[in-house]
Amino acid sequence: MFDDLDLFGALTPFASGRPAPKPAAREETPRTGLRQLLLEAQPAALFLLDGAGLVLEVGGAWEAVTGLRPGEATGQPLHRWLRYERARHPGALRVGQGALEEVTLATPLHTHIVRVTWGARGEYVAGTLEPLAASAQHAFRTAERLQDVERALDEAVHFLGVSQDAWQSEHIRRIVDFAERLAQAAHLSATEVAAVRWGAALHDIGKARVPQAILQKPGPLDPLEYEVILQHPVWGVQLLADLPFLPVSTVDAVRHHHERWDGGGYPLGLTGHRIPLAARIVAVADVFDALTSVRPYKSAWTYQDAVDHLITESGRQFDPELTRLFVCEVLGFTHLEDRFDSPAGQAG
């Protein structure tokens, strides 16, 4: 990248650490002046580093780009003013050649986004800092703000889902993890995976309207109590009605995570692929965690017993393909692949 460009001419005695050979006397020519003018007219900031990453010389638009006078930069580590993930770029600005896109340059007078390029030249590294166009910087900062908003929403949704009681909090944490991994195994897009994750976090939000005496009852529910429990998916959707930012598939997961592949579930008795995909994913994760957890009315099942139940109910209670993905890829029981009958249970 920099092999054919002499950015700074011969190194000064300070830069090299060795006495510079006395140049042969020669007459100053207009060409030397033109080269200096060209260097100073560069739109990028030019820098030369030693093997430790310390600034030896700067040029071009250095002061305009960084807000630092050359004397303030000389002898300082360049990375002092650059913000990037060093763990992901261990050789940056030290060896070889390359570029870092969208690096934050932070100096006392300037904070903006730059593109950094560099190339090693023996024991030295020459490179440039090139500011992004204003429109690109605006787009970058907008994307950062959107990521901050998404993280905040993710945390708020999770908090909303776990706000009922301690055991529910742990259940939500596990089911979110299971559902997210199953969505990824099903090759959903990042946006769809996020919607499934939110659906898993909020799937039982409607139980906030169910009396604790019913939720914590150690024995079987009577018919009236069971009718109350059956309402929690609908109540959940009602509670979320004032949150228009939630994706449709998130709300679908809340409403339909108790539907069954064979049509025997609730609240609408949907069958097969008529059940929204997010709801089918959450259903598998929800039941598996419920089976393997201690509840007021039951002890925890072993993983083996819970997996056997999922396989038995594949094509009856659960989407058979999602069940196979969950058992074999999410849980890692690949040796159980042959227990799944691929054409079975393909309800429409």
Side-chain angles (χ1 to χ4, degrees):
M1 185 190 320
F2 298 97
D3 291 342
D4 301 321
L5 177 62
D6 184 359
L7 294 177
F8 302 97
L11 294 176
T12 64
F14 170 80
S16 66
R18 299 185 294 274
K22 186 175 181 179
R26 64 178 183 177
E27 190 176 332
E28 185 72 19
T29 65
R31 184 173 181 80
T32 302
L34 284 174
R35 187 182 72 168
Q36 185 62 31
L37 285 174
L38 285 171
L39 286 174
E40 292 175 354
Q42 290 289 320
L46 309 178
F47 60 81
L48 185 69
L49 310 179
D50 66 11
L54 302 181
V55 176
L56 294 176
E57 291 190 41
V58 297
W62 173 267
E63 194 164 348
V65 171
T66 66
L68 297 168
R69 293 189 296 273
E72 296 175 299
T74 302
Q76 299 294 319
L78 181 62
H79 65 73
R80 170 182 177 181
W81 301 293
L82 301 179
R83 306 288 182 264
Y84 63 93
E85 294 185 46
R86 292 186 175 86
R88 292 182 57 188
H89 307 282
L93 299 172
R94 292 205 302 274
V95 296
Q97 63 181 36
L100 294 174
E101 309 291 344
E102 299 179 342
V103 173
T104 300
L105 171 70
T107 66
L109 294 181
H110 287 279
T111 299
H112 50 221
I113 310 304
V114 297
R115 181 176 188 267
V116 184
T117 59
W118 77 92
R121 304 180 67 179
E123 59 186 302
Y124 304 103
V125 173
T128 66
L129 304 176
E130 183 179 357
L132 298 185
S135 59
Q137 293 201 43
H138 175 73
F140 179 77
R141 292 192 175 107
T142 299
E144 280 191 321
R145 287 195 292 270
L146 285 174
Q147 289 175 358
D148 289 342
V149 170
E150 289 174 356
R151 281 192 292 268
L153 281 177
D154 210 45
E155 292 172 2
V157 167
H158 184 77
F159 176 78
L160 187 61
V162 304
S163 60
Q164 296 178 58
D165 48 48
W167 73 263
Q168 184 73 0
S169 172
E170 288 303 303
H171 170 60
I172 293 298
R173 181 186 60 79
R174 291 189 300 268
I175 186 181
V176 166
D177 178 62
F178 282 141
E180 183 173 24
R181 288 159 58 193
L182 179 53
Q184 291 167 342
H187 304 295
L188 272 63
S189 69
T191 300
E192 293 168 327
V193 171
V196 169
R197 184 172 66 246
W198 286 7
L202 298 171
H203 75 288
D204 272 347
I205 191 68
K207 287 184 178 178
R209 292 185 178 177
V210 177
Q212 285 296 309
I214 295 178
L215 292 176
Q216 301 296 333
K217 186 174 181 179
L221 301 178
D222 64 37
L224 289 178
E225 291 168 336
Y226 186 64
E227 284 298 320
V228 172
I229 286 289
L230 292 182
Q231 300 305 310
H232 82 269
V234 176
W235 287 340
V237 172
Q238 291 172 354
L239 289 171
L240 300 176
D242 292 330
L243 301 178
F245 65 85
L246 291 176
V248 171
S249 51
T250 294
V251 179
D252 283 342
V254 174
R255 179 185 284 115
H256 296 297
H257 67 279
H258 281 295
E259 304 284 2
R260 290 175 54 101
W261 186 257
D262 61 12
Y266 64 92
L268 299 182
L270 301 180
T271 61
H273 290 99
R274 295 186 180 90
I275 305 169
L277 177 58
R280 285 181 267 143
I281 290 173
V282 171
V284 175
D286 183 29
V287 171
F288 180 77
D289 187 71
L291 291 175
T292 55
S293 302
V294 175
R295 294 293 174 85
Y297 51 86
K298 61 174 280 296
S299 58
W301 291 23
T302 65
Y303 260 42
Q304 179 178 345
D305 289 341
V307 167
D308 285 341
H309 177 79
L310 293 185
I311 294 174
T312 299
E313 291 297 316
S314 174
R316 295 194 292 187
Q317 183 175 355
F318 308 114
D319 179 326
E321 176 58 17
L322 290 177
T323 309
R324 184 191 64 80
L325 287 175
F326 186 77
V327 170
C328 299
E329 296 193 22
V330 175
L331 298 181
F333 297 138
T334 54
H335 63 286
L336 299 178
E337 180 89 34
D338 59 1
R339 291 188 57 187
F340 290 90
D341 183 10
S342 56
Q346 300 296 320

